[in-house]
């Protein structure tokens, strides 16, 4: 569920030596928060429209980052060019995937949505081979790509004709996972040299995504006739913790232990999402789901192996 803006320079981040909580604890917290996000989406959509869930998520996430910017006395980035690129990034990294996952979970289990999210590294490698000239394929990475998509077919039960699977919801979840690397590659190409801090860029990005949903949501939804407490709390937690706080924790991890270690959280998300969906929502689980998920994660790990220089 990562929504980070992967710019080249780390910007103004807090000194990792001053971290009050060990990075392993923060890593576990981030894994739990992002893993439970799919459960929170499912609970939220039980009472509110998908666009409303996404708008609430972005709104509360933006408020958290705005508070962090105020405490650190950060300013929003300047320049029309930067804001134009951030508008595109906000669409592909936030507005589109968040909305697609919310709509997908109307018809598919949160466990399947969490596993689909794990395909992002696979899509990212496939796209980077085309879009990033410096990202050369290797036999190991190509093998990982093939293995990962074999895992997708295993999760979906391809040998039995995808029986009992909602094709539309699954396609939405996979498109949401594809949207993330599209956004990452766009940001890498357009915002890599900016001097603004990560916090400033991400605060602006979430603000723009919230604005996009503020325009779209009234056009396709109506105000709820009631506001059930549990789904409302799920949306608040999804935004404040799963988006705002999680992004702050992620930047701290990247600053302290590096992006490679921090990105390992991706491999824990589907495990936690599956456990939460089965234990708390009573979602069914066949043998092909965990087996396919394990194959996907193994393939995704291989795609991240870089050749030695």
């Amino acid at each position: 569920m990562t929504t980070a803006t992967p710019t080249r320079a780390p910007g103004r981040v807090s000194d990792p030596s001053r971290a009050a909580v060990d990075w392993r604890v923060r890593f576990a917290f981030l894994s739990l928060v992002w893993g439970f996000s799919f459960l929170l989406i499912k609970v939220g959509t039980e009472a509110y429209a998908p666009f409303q869930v996404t708008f609430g998520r972005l709104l509360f996430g933006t408020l958290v980052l705005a508070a962090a910017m105020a405490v650190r006395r950060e300013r929003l980035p300047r320049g029309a060019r930067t804001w134009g690129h951030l508008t595109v990034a906000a669409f592909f990294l936030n507005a589109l995937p968040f909305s697609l996952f919310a709509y997908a979970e109307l018809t598919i289990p949160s466990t399947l949505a969490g596993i689909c999210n794990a395909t992002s590294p696979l899509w990212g490698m496939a796209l980077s081979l085309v879009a990033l000239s410096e990202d050369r394929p290797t036999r190991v990475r190509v093998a990982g790509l093939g293995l990962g998509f074999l895992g997708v077919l295993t999760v979906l039960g391809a040998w039995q004709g995808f029986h009992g699977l909602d094709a539309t919801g699954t396609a939405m979840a996979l498109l949401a996972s594809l949207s993330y690397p599209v956004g990452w590659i766009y940001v890498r190409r357009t915002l890599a040299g900016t001097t603004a801090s990560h916090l400033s860029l991400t605060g602006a990005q979430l603000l723009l995504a919230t604005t996009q949903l503020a325009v779209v949501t009234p056009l396709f939804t109506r105000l709820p006739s009631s506001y059930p407490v549990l789904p409302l709390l799920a949306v608040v937690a999804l935004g404040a913790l799963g988006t705002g706080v999680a992004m702050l924790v992620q930047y701290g991890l990247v600053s302290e232990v590096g992006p490679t270690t921090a990105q390992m959280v991706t491999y824990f998300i589907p495990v936690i999402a599956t456990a939460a969906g089965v234990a708390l929502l009573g979602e069914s689980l066949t043998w092909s789901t965990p087996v396919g998920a394990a194959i996907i994660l193994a393939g995704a790990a291989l795609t991240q192996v870089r050749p030695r220089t």
Side-chain angles (χ1 to χ4, degrees):
M1 299 289 286
T2 180
T3 56
T5 306
T7 52
R8 176 179 59 82
R12 296 185 297 274
V13 294
S14 57
D15 183 359
S17 64
R18 298 179 182 178
V21 181
D22 185 81
W23 73 267
R24 298 170 187 83
V25 176
R26 286 176 283 137
F27 183 96
F29 170 80
L30 190 59
S31 301
L32 285 172
V33 167
W34 275 342
F36 270 87
S37 291
F38 297 95
L39 180 148
L40 295 175
I41 292 172
K42 174 67 78 173
V43 174
T45 53
E46 290 178 354
Y48 305 106
F51 275 141
Q52 293 170 344
V53 172
T54 303
F55 173 69
R57 175 182 188 176
L58 289 168
L59 176 62
F60 288 108
T62 300
L63 292 176
V64 170
L65 290 186
M69 290 179 64
V71 170
R72 301 182 187 182
R73 298 182 180 180
E74 293 270 4
R75 293 183 178 180
L76 290 172
R78 299 179 180 179
R81 176 183 174 277
T82 299
W83 279 89
H85 290 316
L86 284 173
T87 299
V88 178
F91 176 75
F92 283 109
L93 291 174
N94 303 114
L96 179 61
F98 290 1
S99 299
L100 285 173
F101 273 125
Y103 270 101
E105 292 198 40
L106 291 177
T107 55
I108 67 172
S110 64
T111 54
L112 180 55
I115 292 171
C116 287
N117 180 75
T119 64
S120 279
L122 304 177
W123 296 119
M125 185 218 162
L127 291 174
S128 66
L129 296 180
V130 177
L132 299 174
S133 58
E134 71 272 17
D135 209 355
R136 300 299 182 184
T138 64
R139 290 181 180 180
V140 172
R141 300 184 72 196
V142 172
L145 186 63
L147 183 64
F149 284 111
L150 176 62
V152 173
L153 295 177
T154 303
V155 170
L156 302 183
W159 65 90
Q160 56 184 4
F162 307 107
H163 178 70
L165 184 72
D166 184 80
T168 301
T170 304
M172 285 185 176
L174 290 173
L175 285 174
S177 303
L178 172 61
S179 181
Y180 289 128
V182 170
W184 295 332
I185 290 174
Y186 178 83
V187 168
R188 185 172 171 181
R189 282 180 168 271
T190 59
L191 290 172
T194 184
T195 58
S197 70
H198 279 321
L199 179 57
S200 174
L201 290 170
T202 308
Q205 178 183 308
L206 280 189
L207 176 62
L208 289 166
T210 304
T211 303
Q212 292 170 2
L213 263 295
V215 173
V216 171
T217 301
L219 299 178
F220 295 95
T221 65
R222 296 180 180 178
L223 287 175
S225 56
S226 61
Y227 295 87
V229 175
L230 184 59
L232 181 60
L233 291 177
V235 174
V236 174
L238 182 64
L241 292 177
T243 304
V245 173
M247 294 173 77
L248 294 175
V249 172
Q250 184 194 31
Y251 289 138
L253 286 174
V254 172
S255 174
E256 184 170 348
V257 300
T260 301
T261 300
Q263 287 173 1
M264 290 295 291
V265 71
T266 303
Y267 306 115
F268 292 87
I269 292 174
V271 177
I272 295 171
T274 300
V278 172
L280 300 179
L281 297 180
E283 296 177 345
S284 60
L285 188 67
T286 61
W287 69 267
S288 61
T289 301
V291 170
I295 296 173
I296 290 172
L297 294 177
L302 289 177
T303 64
Q304 304 307 303
V305 175
R306 304 287 177 176
R308 293 183 178 181
T309 58

